[in-house]
Amino acid sequence: MTKIGAPIAWDVTTGMPKFVVGVVDTGIDYNHQDLFMNIWINNAEIPTSIRNTLTDADGDGVITFRDLNHSSNSGKVTDNNGNGVIDPADIFRSTSQGGWLDGVDQDSNGYVDDLFGWDFANNDNDPMDDNNHGTHVAGTIGAVGNNGVGVTGINWSLSLMALKFLDSSGNGLVSRAVMAIDYATTKGVKLTNHSWGGANYSASLAAAISRARDAGHIIVAAAGNSGQNLDSSPQYPASYSTSYNNVITVASVNSSDQLASSSNYGANTVTLAAPGVSILSTVRNNGYSYFSGTSMAAPHVTGAIALYWASNPTLSYTQVIDKLKASVDPISGLSGKVLTGGRLNVGKMFDSTTPSGPKVVD
């Protein structure tokens, strides 16, 4: 975290609970001790009779798990699992069992009781991770900080929307990823992480990315782990970056800022690099593990964008991307390998002296 300037950024902000990031992946273990406080709640799906009793403790206009665990809401939500906190397991049960699931599509979006997101792989309202990958990604973006346990995400405080389209084996249909992007975009989410990919171009996925762009939404994609030049051997969604300016593609570097041997690259296709080797983050059942790959690099960038954009909410997606590009640390080994020739530095994004335009290395 120090190398990418996170402590410098945290001197300015540690995140905002109402800023939502969609994790398009294998789901999220939303009950994890280091994640549950930052799990997105679809406020439009809270039964009206319950919603009217709740206090927005921090006054940000939305109900989050931070609000539910505030003293002002004491006794208003039942600790159904008896673990001493109000977490997703307490409310993700039927109203007859003390939860919030009432079988009604309150927000009329076609998804009934989508409290935390949606499972597009199985077409149900439970986006619980059954693989670990999505939970690991989510932890890098937004594991709770300063809570005395586990790890710290780039954001200490935000809302993680679980958009599961990959199954327990990590496989999924592009058509379901399209649905996930459209779901997030329709909900007004401005940022999604995509630590997945394949070799085949999809017109429907391209159209979803175009719709997201029109809504001012940024797609952060992992470059992939084939050791290939994406300029000549495209993979998707990473390679949509050459056609859509809302796609940021991320390569992986090790602790010495060397391009990981397995990481894809591309001077025209890959935007920047980020740490992606031996990354410690959350996994299911309150666990933690080291994973490597561009799947781990991408959420560092997603987290950085979320941290910066939450503090500068009036900026357009292009302004945010320009700031991201201009703030990289130039790395000699990345010259000619990624568009910016650099590695993520979120601290520099908060430096007012950083130029606002992109830094491009020929």
Side-chain angles (χ1 to χ4, degrees), residues 36-288:
F36 81 87
M37 198 73 80
N38 283 344
I39 295 297
W40 175 70
I41 298 175
N42 182 0
N43 279 222
E45 280 291 343
I46 303 174
T48 304
S49 61
I50 296 173
R51 179 66 176 86
N52 289 341
T53 69
L54 299 174
T55 300
D56 176 13
D58 55 11
D60 64 357
V62 296
I63 295 296
T64 68
F65 280 101
R66 295 174 185 276
D67 295 314
L68 297 184
N69 283 279
H70 190 269
S71 58
S72 61
N73 285 306
S74 179
K76 297 179 183 179
V77 182
T78 303
D79 177 15
N80 286 299
N81 59 7
N83 65 352
V85 295
I86 303 302
D87 59 19
D90 294 317
I91 64 175
F92 196 72
R93 58 183 69 206
S94 69
T95 51
S96 64
Q97 296 176 319
W100 293 2
L101 304 182
D102 60 3
V104 178
D105 182 10
Q106 304 264 6
D107 54 2
S108 301
N109 67 346
Y111 300 97
V112 177
D113 285 336
D114 51 325
L115 271 180
F116 311 136
W118 195 259
D119 179 352
F120 296 94
N122 299 294
N123 193 30
D124 62 44
N125 68 333
D126 188 358
M128 173 60 76
D129 187 7
D130 50 9
N131 175 276
N132 279 325
H133 191 272
T135 300
H136 198 278
V137 165
T140 297
I141 297 170
V144 176
N146 201 32
N147 62 346
V149 297
V151 296
T152 297
I154 303 295
N155 292 259
W156 298 12
S157 179
L158 82 169
S159 289
L160 295 163
M161 175 188 281
L163 300 171
K164 177 178 172 63
F165 90 102
L166 298 172
D167 62 20
S168 59
S169 300
N171 298 312
L173 300 174
V174 170
S175 60
R176 305 300 172 86
V178 168
M179 296 170 70
I181 294 171
D182 284 339
Y183 177 98
T185 302
T186 301
K187 277 293 184 185
V189 176
K190 296 295 188 181
L191 178 65
T192 48
N193 188 91
H194 300 260
S195 289
W196 57 275
N200 296 325
Y201 176 89
S202 166
S204 62
L205 181 55
I209 291 172
S210 178
R211 289 189 293 272
R213 178 192 59 191
D214 293 344
H217 179 110
I218 296 175
I219 302 279
V220 178
N225 306 303
S226 306
Q228 295 179 316
N229 186 341
L230 295 186
D231 292 352
S232 54
S233 301
Q235 294 185 18
Y236 302 94
S239 293
Y240 289 115
S241 61
T242 59
S243 301
Y244 300 96
N245 69 348
N246 62 322
V247 178
I248 296 296
T249 299
V250 187
S252 168
V253 292
N254 62 22
S255 59
S256 298
D257 278 336
Q258 298 169 324
L259 186 71
S261 60
S262 62
S263 177
N264 290 341
Y265 56 94
N268 299 311
T269 307
V270 180
T271 315
L272 76 167
V277 177
S278 297
I279 303 301
L280 180 64
S281 187
T282 48
V283 293
R284 294 179 300 162
N285 302 317
N286 289 333
Y288 301 87

